[in-house]
Amino acid sequence: MRALLVVAGHELRSRLRDGTAPLIALVAPILLATLFGLALGGDDDPPLKATIGVVDLDGGEFPASVQREALNTDELKGVLTFRQYPDEAAARSAVDGGETGAALVFPAGFSEGVGAGRGGKVSVLESPQSPLAGVVARSMVDRISALVEARTLAVRASLEAGVPADRVQLFVEENGAAGPALSLVGDPVAGGRVDLAVHYGAGMAVMFAFFVVGTTARSLLVERQNSTLDRMRAAPVPLWTALVGKSAVGFGLALFSMCATWLSSVLVFGASWGDPLGVFPLLLAHVFAATAIVMLVASRAKTDAQADGYTLGVAFVFAFLGGSIVPVYNLPEWLRGISLITPNGWVSAGLSELAGTGAGPSAVLVPIAVVTGIGVVAGTVALLGFRKGRFA
Amino acid sequence: MTPALVCERLVKRYGDKTVVDRVGFHIDEGEAYGLLGPNGAGKTTTISMLVGLLRPDEGSVRVGGIDVDEDPVAAKRLIGYVPQEIALYPELTARENLRYFGRLYGLPRRELTSRIGEVLDLVGLTGRGDDKVDTYSGGMKRRTNIAVALLHRPRLLILDEPTVGVDPQSRVAILDRVEALVGEGMSLLYTSHYMEEVERVCTRVGIIDQGRVVADGTKRELVAELGGTDRVELTLDGDVTAASEKLRAVEGVSEAVVTGSSSIRLLVAGGRHLLPALLAAVGDAGAVTGVEVVEPDLEAAFLHLTGSTLRD
């Protein structure tokens, strides 16, 4: 234990002396989280506020009822605003100019076509600058499609059953073919809505945990190249002392970094990451997994530069896939599943439960277990690699 | 008295390649033993197994009677290991390096402070102890490298090529200090490919070649194996390769090795008497410009045992 403390103390002093600990563990994650939070988060501008343009060339009941229904749903109440435009060109100009986030175009005769069972076609105009409005607009089109499909089927079935054509529309409405209720497709974060200040604060903390541990992995490789690792291993201490002592410092600094980013998010934005009794174990599990993964990378690297490159690659790929940079809901469907092979994805999902729904610590037991499991597997493989590579 | 080191039938393989093949030798208490061999002969791999950095595939190592495999921590406490590379933190001072490694060896704070002063004095760096190592010359780094291994007063000092890359003055200083340590009764294992260092410092020598100890004994014993063989150093202007082949055909010549662009080393039974035959054998391969007949020595013994010169 004494030797372990000697190695850890030496490692910590080295990290402080070369400036990597304060920069990577504190300054960079807090600065980036704050900048992202200021740019994208905050209470004054709820992330799901959206203005949708409507071009009603139909003039019938259908477009009006869709708008009424949308404004009355619990999920979209207060979030959505409709703005009317006379034609598609005006709507396109408004979307391109940022006046409205997206627009729906109902063609002439739409309501009549639906009523007669012929279906109809609604266009969506989107802007890459307003992805959330696009999500809402597409959700509404999905809803409309469901309604149109239900109505079309109902009308055709009624006609087949011998209902006179002039009575079909009334017959269908009386017997209910309204279809499913309107809901928001692509809820940004599973489990609940998280303020983007929280999302990016946690994302940066999760991503930088890899970089913080990476500096320790790098120093391990440097020590091997400089033969100081062999000198430590030749000392009358267990062979694993150097490896564990240095890893412990990486672990401790990464945990400190995550907690500091969490605290800064609370102090700067007044954001809540959820119940601390759930948040802390989740962060702890992530740091364990990040340490094990980075050490696995180090155990396979031959030089410190190679370890740096590998760590950078792993950290960014995991951050991207796991929603630490781009929210998971913005990823293609097939990538969302992949996010759950990363600890970042599970931490993101866990924090969405805690911060988004206000759930208690029990809600993150599964994410904690999975992230710890990832750490155990990576750590075991890393240890085998370290033994082979004469680190321990 | 328990020997300082006993290693028996050490084997280390990497895949199909056996880099250390049944190496065995012992070092008595207070004895200086030299392990002599060319680069790649297996010296460093053998040492790595002796100090517990590598686990042998076969064989055993006992330091002061303690089996390194069974109780590595206790065995390592008896060893002072000086690796071939400069194993120091360049951004730290010599004193900081010594303090860190001394603490790792478990020296109490007060004792450590006085020992740091003593070893810095021993290696002649008292005045530079607070300077960063990266400001040192190669020789000063080497001396600091040795100082680290002496901190805990080891029973057995293992020096792996301790003078590689140092200037002649520092080399002499290092050898002086090593001799002094042996004089004080410290057991020593010294590896080098510099014959003269081993001849000067060690009382007994093992010659290692291609992973095997091919001979082991005092300098006198090893030289005696040569019988009446002399070493003849021949210099000539001409084709040394062709000349060496012609010389090898002369009866009484057991080895003829090209050692430079104009030099050949020969092992010749009754060297002085055979000189006319040797000069005649060179013939039109070149003009002989110098001949030196040397009494049998370790260099000749090494050539006789391995068929190559030490710096091949």
Side-chain angles (χ1 to χ4, degrees), chain B residues 44-87:
Chain B
T44 298
T45 306
T46 300
I47 284 186
S48 293
M49 290 188 279
L50 301 182
V51 300
L53 294 178
L54 265 185
R55 201 165 191 171
D57 294 317
E58 292 173 29
S60 66
V61 179
R62 284 193 303 282
V63 179
I66 300 168
D67 192 305
V68 171
D69 194 44
E70 285 175 9
D71 193 350
V73 172
K76 287 177 189 178
R77 223 181 285 283
L78 305 177
I79 300 173
Y81 168 53
V82 182
Q84 191 172 342
E85 297 78 18
I86 307 289

Side-chain angles (χ1 to χ4, degrees), chain A residues 64-74 143 147 178-182:
Chain A
S65 70
V66 166
Q67 290 175 66
R68 265 199 315 275
E69 188 181 344
L71 292 172
N72 286 326
T73 55
D74 288 339
R143 160 66 174 158
L147 275 175
L182 189 65

